[in-house]
Amino acid sequence: MTLPKSIATVCLSGSLPDKLEAAALAGFQGVEIFENDLLTFDGSPAEVGRLCADLGLAVTIYQPFRDFEAMPEPQRRRNLDRAERKFDTMQALGTGLILVCSNTQPATLPEPERAAADLHAMAERAAARSLRVGFEALAWGRRTSLWREAWEIVRLAGHPALGLILDSFHTLARGDDLAGLEAVPAEKLFFLQLADAPRLSMDVLSWSRHFRVFPGQGELPVGAFLRDVLRAGYRGPISLEVFNDEFRAAPVRRIARDALRSLILLDDEVRDAAPAAAVPAAALPPAARLAGIEFLEFAVDHASRQALGGMLGTLGFHHAGLHRSKAVELHRQGGVNLVLNAEADSAASERFEMFGPTVCAMALRVDDPARALARAQALLSPAWQERIGEGEHRIPAIRAPDGTLVYLVRTGSDIWSDDFALGAAPAPAVPPFSGIDHVVQALAPGHLDGFVLFWRAVFGLGADPIWELPDPFGIVRSRTLSAADRSLRLPFNVSESRQTTTGRFVSAYAGAGEHHIAFATPDVAAAARPAAPMLDIPENYYDDLAARFDLGEAELSALRRRRLLYDRDAEGSFVHAYTHAFQDRFFFELVERRGGYDQYGAPNAAVRMAAQTRQRRR
Amino acid sequence: MTLPKSIATVCLSGSLPDKLEAAALAGFQGVEIFENDLLTFDGSPAEVGRLCADLGLAVTIYQPFRDFEAMPEPQRRRNLDRAERKFDTMQALGTGLILVCSNTQPATLPEPERAAADLHAMAERAAARSLRVGFEALAWGRRTSLWREAWEIVRLAGHPALGLILDSFHTLARGDDLAGLEAVPAEKLFFLQLADAPRLSMDVLSWSRHFRVFPGQGELPVGAFLRDVLRAGYRGPISLEVFNDEFRAAPVRRIARDALRSLILLDDEVRDAAPAAAVPAAALPPAARLAGIEFLEFAVDHASRQALGGMLGTLGFHHAGLHRSKAVELHRQGGVNLVLNAEADSAASERFEMFGPTVCAMALRVDDPARALARAQALLSPAWQERIGEGEHRIPAIRAPDGTLVYLVRTGSDIWSDDFALGAAPAPAVPPFSGIDHVVQALAPGHLDGFVLFWRAVFGLGADPIWELPDPFGIVRSRTLSAADRSLRLPFNVSESRQTTTGRFVSAYAGAGEHHIAFATPDVAAAARPAAPMLDIPENYYDDLAARFDLGEAELSALRRRRLLYDRDAEGSFVHAYTHAFQDRFFFELVERRGGYDQYGAPNAAVRMAAQTRQRRR
């Protein structure tokens, strides 16, 4: 890794020692001490400094010092006194830099010269103690809200102990960029704070205080921003300052790991702009070239294995093989392999005991499993080892954030013949599936950003914007990650509903790997056979379809007869159908994409959810 | 009640029959059928019509019909075909009115004449079936986004079966009003939708889709809006259309009752503008004149009664009396009465069994208990009757939305002498409390709007804007309801934290009446006696206080010595201190208000919460 990495304590949940320990455990080299975390802590600043030193953490900065510059008297004098007290704190903490953010008070005087004079006075006092002052433009600052304005004041002040602090959110949220930064001497770039955010239409202050995310989780061009800063000669740490309600409510170690993962990825993305003089760190291994899903594995017991096998049979699956040493079956339909694992004392049986029948693993076809594994490890996802029998294939694997195993299978390799006793495939009863179109996973609230980062970083997937789907019991937020060539599509759903006791499907088992698996078929009408337990769709849906789309009578009645759902956009159309849920835990979808349709039939989600609710109540 | 009351099915959670039953049970006279609720229902429109008729509900409108007017061909022709299909649906439902909302499509043509011609054509077809069409301006409509623009198109079209639909949100969210509405003939006002909202800085579409609330729960002038509509001669129903993520995730009957309560209150508020010809309904009894809290009652068992009595003793309370027939004690300090109820087989014991020691009742001093009770009943809060012994006082009571009893005690009356054997008061050890300053209650997410409405409607309290407090494990949102003269102050807190397993206080027992009770004292330094289990405050807090405020050395060291918290605003200052939590269920605060300080020391909340977290971990 090229750049030292730091995190502000305000990003994390819990008490100050919890935060510091989690940052050190994740592997950060430094921390920003956020003032409120210190105020609420019952140890002295010197104790905090010792704790950081014991954990191997540098205190990169103390922040924020608010509403300082360009105040009329007597506040001006009092602010300088206040600064002296904070210098005491900094010396006890063992940090040399304080962040002054631009004044938000209505009383601020307009002249930049006044602001410059005050910052000069503060820098002079800081320098007397060998401390430094960094000035940052808050996007909602009263007189100073752009980095260029902050730089103008720093330049005017002309004190060696005074420099500029940049923050990606404050610049990018304003639609601004760093054009002109090359005119700022590199030694005046004192510190760099990084944050990403989804693009939201709301006031910048609320957006900043609640919805910042780690780089790679949002939609701002943080990489380009960092590249500009590095090209301007910045040599200090990259430090995260993220205010996020969900992160502050989540377990601290998980968020600290996500935080560092985001910086490792970002660091790699901007290697081209890294200073030549910097230690040349090894690049991350490139993300795998993906070629779809080799298999999905379900954790089952003997009874549910039989029931699930029966259900799969109605969709045209056949029992293709039995594992040579374990209670594991392979069911196959065209290009889809589903593994039903009832082996006792395994990772699968652990999942089964916790959650009942559930998806416990997904095998991805990758061009180079060893490289994919090395990338995952470099991004803080360690390899995982399942117990195997003698002579069996060892498939490299990692764990997704919810514990689901992700196996890495070399594209084109045969992983089945050695471990499984395979039978002959019967003549297909229905058109074979071409593969798994997508796998939807329901997440508990607060988990989406972590999953987005994992899949973007480890496998290089791209993230669509967030969709909102109304459902009978609340709102579902959905975000899809997919490979550029769509060889892998993973929508994630988060439900806001709190009615878990109503047996609401999407949230009832969130966090437990609740899934919805879509098979790609060339002919959904033929695939949705009468024997299959397909979800019934209300007649009203077809009346509305007739009103919305210019469908021929024949096409409409074909949809109606087989209870198929329909969507269309400028690129093509989409015909699909759902099965009943299997033991309230997962369900299957049959999808037929026509033309260039690249979505997921979201307008039909409410119809599907209402029908599932009725099915469950029966 | 003056005006017929209706609600859109989209306001409510669940399946369409659930929604209709809840609306009827609450007491609505009509429903708007929202299209998606029909599409996802597996019965025919005629069955929905019969269900409404059986429940005594009129179908006031079918809605919405989107993206209709001013489209180029061939969409224009297709839209008219689509309208015919929806007319079929309306006739089956048994409603005569459809809502057309203004077009949001980029392809919309700009000329109002085109929009008018299309609406005329639709109205002509509707009239052929004795149906009517109402046109509404969406705030984010492409060409038509203000009601005046919609009216201009309706006027141009000049068809008797075409009229205007008004929606308070679409007008008020744009900062617009109804000036000029008197020029619209009353018979052209076809329908009225009402919604309130908190003032949020975000795009109007997201604001509308997720954050609408019922009138009286938000900050928009919905009453003035309705008054204008009535003065313009509108004679139809008032109908709620509220899109709210929390309401859609909440139990449907609770939300339906809140919805009707909001309209009953609103109806009463606009009586002055009601048409003279309308049936003169009885006004609501005026809200009570409040004079503070006569007592708070705690549900305890014998062990916790003893422990709580001991804790109260350290704050200067004395055991003032014993109930003549029940296991109930009165503890008193100055103007504060606390009742400890350990009686078996009572409302209190039920609460104790569910939640452990908890506040189970609050007695308010009111000028006229019978009138207060009648108002509550008219606002859908029925009287509640506790079992009483012979000769005992029967105190009228209602239940707050969480089940807490609210007793109504006549101001100045003596409710104690008959039922309690009272002892003599000892000489006070500390300055007597002047009363209960405020009672804070922690609510589960999704409950705040319901509480706001209850206290505003039943007791006429005013609601402050929402505050956000960061805490160690997330964000707490706080909203205070209070009497204009501050004789009653009730802050409510909602925690967004999901870490209930960490023993987080504010959320751990949300919904179970977790409380924080603040006593008003003239001298908090004397009241926070060394014997009392006061929460310790970190030394860093005082260092920061010294930097923030120009406090004299004597004052600062007095605060520091007694570990008191301090806040100041332009009106005055606030000195306060907290006790440890009692069995992790509630805690007490001692507050001294100086000058006109009218807040709650919010800047100190994070310090308090961090200290409580430490206390719990010990």
Side-chain angles (χ1 to χ4, degrees), chain B residues 256-268:
Chain B
R257 192 205 50 216
D258 283 356
L260 189 63
R261 176 179 287 153
S262 83
L263 287 188
I264 295 169
L265 180 66
L266 186 67
D267 192 337
D268 189 64

Side-chain angles (χ1 to χ4, degrees), chain B residues 88-216:
Chain B
D88 298 342
T89 302
M90 289 166 66
Q91 290 182 310
L93 282 173
T95 184
L97 184 59
I98 187 168
L99 180 152
V100 176
C101 55
S102 58
N103 200 329
T104 62
Q105 295 298 312
T108 329
L109 302 168
E111 301 78 18
E113 293 75 15
R114 266 300 310 271
D118 291 350
L119 285 163
H120 187 281
M122 183 171 171
E124 185 71 19
R125 291 169 188 227
R129 310 206 204 187
S130 302
L131 303 174
R132 297 191 307 158
V133 175
F135 187 52
E136 177 186 86
L138 286 184
W140 52 91
R142 187 85 183 178
R143 307 281 180 189
T144 307
S145 62
L146 298 172
W147 73 264
R148 285 178 206 83
E149 297 165 347
W151 164 239
E152 177 60 15
I153 289 168
V154 169
R155 196 189 57 74
L156 276 173
H159 195 289
L162 179 69
L164 186 65
I165 295 181
L166 296 168
D167 178 305
S168 62
F169 181 87
H170 286 297
T171 296
L172 300 174
R174 293 280 307 258
D176 194 14
D177 59 30
L178 292 179
L181 189 66
E182 58 283 359
V184 178
E187 71 273 14
K188 282 296 188 186
L189 299 176
F190 275 17
F191 203 69
L192 174 61
Q193 296 181 315
L194 295 175
D196 197 350
R199 291 199 185 276
L200 300 173
S201 306
M202 65 195 315
D203 68 297
V204 179
L205 179 57
S206 303
W207 187 18
S208 171
R209 287 211 176 143
H210 303 295
F211 299 102
R212 288 184 178 208
V213 290
F214 298 127

Side-chain angles (χ1 to χ4, degrees), chain A residues 66-257:
Chain A
R66 292 197 178 91
D67 299 333
F68 169 73
E69 81 283 6
M71 290 296 274
E73 295 289 3
Q75 283 92 330
R76 181 179 178 280
R77 179 193 54 74
R78 294 209 47 250
N79 274 342
L80 285 167
D81 291 349
R82 181 160 64 99
E84 292 283 2
R85 307 228 182 193
K86 297 302 172 186
F87 294 158
D88 298 342
T89 302
M90 289 166 66
Q91 291 182 309
L93 282 172
T95 185
L97 183 59
I98 187 168
L99 180 153
V100 176
C101 55
S102 59
N103 201 327
T104 62
Q105 294 298 311
T108 330
L109 302 169
E111 300 79 18
E113 294 75 14
R114 265 302 309 274
D118 291 349
L119 284 163
H120 187 282
M122 182 171 172
E124 185 71 19
R125 292 167 188 226
R129 308 208 206 184
S130 301
L131 302 175
R132 297 190 308 157
V133 175
F135 186 51
E136 176 186 87
L138 284 185
W140 53 91
R142 186 87 184 174
R143 305 282 179 191
T144 307
S145 61
L146 298 171
W147 73 265
R148 287 178 205 84
E149 296 166 348
W151 164 239
E152 177 59 17
I153 289 168
V154 169
R155 197 189 58 75
L156 275 173
H159 195 288
L162 179 69
L164 186 65
I165 294 182
L166 296 169
D167 177 304
S168 61
F169 182 87
H170 286 298
T171 296
L172 300 174
R174 294 281 306 257
D176 194 14
D177 59 29
L178 293 179
L181 189 67
E182 57 282 1
V184 178
E187 70 273 14
K188 282 296 190 187
L189 298 176
F190 274 17
F191 202 68
L192 174 61
Q193 295 181 315
L194 295 175
D196 197 349
R199 291 198 185 278
L200 299 173
S201 305
M202 65 194 314
D203 69 297
V204 179
L205 179 57
S206 303
W207 187 18
S208 171
R209 288 208 175 147
H210 303 296
F211 298 103
R212 289 186 179 208
V213 290
F214 297 128
Q217 294 177 328
E219 301 174 271
L220 302 181
V222 181
F225 182 93
L226 175 55
R227 214 172 261 123
D228 287 344
V229 178
L230 294 174
R231 289 195 174 128
Y234 177 70
R235 296 290 177 272
I238 52 178
S239 190
L240 294 166
E241 187 188 35
V242 168
F243 308 95
N244 181 296
D245 294 352
E246 293 194 337
F247 296 176
R248 293 215 269 200
V252 61
R253 290 185 182 187
R254 166 156 71 79
I255 299 300
R257 193 205 50 216

Side-chain angles (χ1 to χ4, degrees), chain A residues 14 40 86 210 468 472 544 614, chain B residues 14 40 86 210 468 544 614:
Chain A
T40 60
K86 297 302 172 186
H210 303 296
E468 286 170 348
D544 182 62
R614 277 193 298 275
Chain B
T40 61
K86 298 301 173 187
H210 303 295
E468 287 169 348
D544 182 63
R614 278 193 297 276

Side-chain angles (χ1 to χ4, degrees), chain A residues 220-571:
Chain A
L220 302 181
V222 181
F225 182 93
L226 175 55
R227 214 172 261 123
D228 287 344
V229 178
L230 294 174
R231 289 195 174 128
Y234 177 70
R235 296 290 177 272
I238 52 178
S239 190
L240 294 166
E241 187 188 35
V242 168
F243 308 95
N244 181 296
D245 294 352
E246 293 194 337
F247 296 176
R248 293 215 269 200
V252 61
R253 290 185 182 187
R254 166 156 71 79
I255 299 300
R257 193 205 50 216
D258 283 355
L260 189 62
R261 175 178 288 153
S262 84
L263 287 188
I264 294 170
L265 180 67
L266 187 68
D267 192 336
D268 189 64
E269 287 171 355
V270 302
R271 280 174 59 76
D272 54 309
V279 180
L284 284 180
R289 193 138 22 100
L290 298 170
I293 295 174
E294 177 67 17
F295 67 85
L296 281 181
E297 181 174 334
F298 293 82
V300 289
D301 60 3
H302 291 277
S304 57
R305 181 174 61 175
Q306 194 152 15
L308 181 53
M311 181 175 180
L312 292 173
T314 66
L315 297 171
F317 280 84
H318 67 279
H319 183 168
L322 195 65
H323 196 281
R324 296 188 195 281
S325 65
K326 295 179 185 168
V328 174
E329 291 177 0
L330 169 64
H331 291 248
R332 186 171 269 172
Q333 209 280 35
V336 177
N337 298 310
L338 301 182
V339 169
L340 277 48
N341 188 339
E343 177 74 2
D345 201 19
S346 66
S349 67
E350 264 177 45
R351 293 277 282 201
F352 182 85
E353 278 155 31
M354 284 173 73
F355 305 122
T358 181
V359 173
C360 63
M362 172 173 2
L364 300 182
R365 298 187 194 111
V366 300
D367 57 336
D368 182 345
R371 194 186 81 225
L373 188 63
R375 181 179 174 90
Q377 288 171 323
L379 284 158
L380 313 179
S381 287
W384 186 88
Q385 209 69 69
E386 170 75 299
R387 174 178 64 85
I388 56 164
E390 208 172 322
E392 281 174 36
H393 271 283
R394 182 182 293 280
I395 308 179
I398 58 173
R399 278 172 176 260
D402 65 335
T404 298
L405 288 183
V406 180
Y407 285 108
L408 305 166
V409 175
R410 186 179 301 277
T411 304
S413 65
D414 173 12
I415 60 165
W416 304 106
S417 306
D418 286 355
D419 296 354
F420 281 79
L422 297 172
V430 294
F433 295 147
S434 54
I436 291 176
D437 186 87
H438 59 278
V439 179
V440 186
Q441 187 170 353
L443 303 178
H447 286 257
L448 184 58
D449 291 316
F451 274 75
V452 166
L453 183 63
F454 172 83
W455 287 102
R456 277 183 91 146
V458 175
F459 292 101
L461 301 189
D464 289 351
I466 290 180
W467 266 83
E468 286 170 348
L469 312 172
D471 93 340
F473 298 103
I475 293 283
V476 173
R477 286 176 220 280
S478 183
R479 193 169 191 194
T480 297
L481 287 134
S482 58
D485 64 1
R486 301 295 185 266
S487 57
L488 185 65
R489 299 168 182 263
L490 302 175
F492 292 94
N493 289 340
V494 177
S495 169
E496 303 286 308
S497 176
R498 299 191 178 91
Q499 295 192 323
T500 48
T501 51
T502 60
R504 175 195 169 64
F505 189 70
V506 77
S507 71
Y509 299 92
E514 186 268 294
H515 284 79
H516 142 200
I517 297 128
F519 302 127
T521 169
D523 183 351
V524 67
R529 296 192 302 167
M534 304 309 293
L535 200 64
D536 195 28
I537 301 301
E539 194 57 29
N540 298 330
Y541 173 77
Y542 298 96
D543 294 343
D544 182 62
L545 215 52
R548 281 197 296 145
F549 295 110
D550 217 357
L551 292 168
E553 200 47 57
E555 182 163 17
L556 188 65
S557 78
L559 295 172
R560 194 191 296 264
R561 197 171 52 248
R562 285 295 173 104
R563 311 319 273 181
L564 304 178
L565 296 154
Y566 181 85
D567 191 29
R568 191 165 72 194
D569 64 13
E571 309 302 322

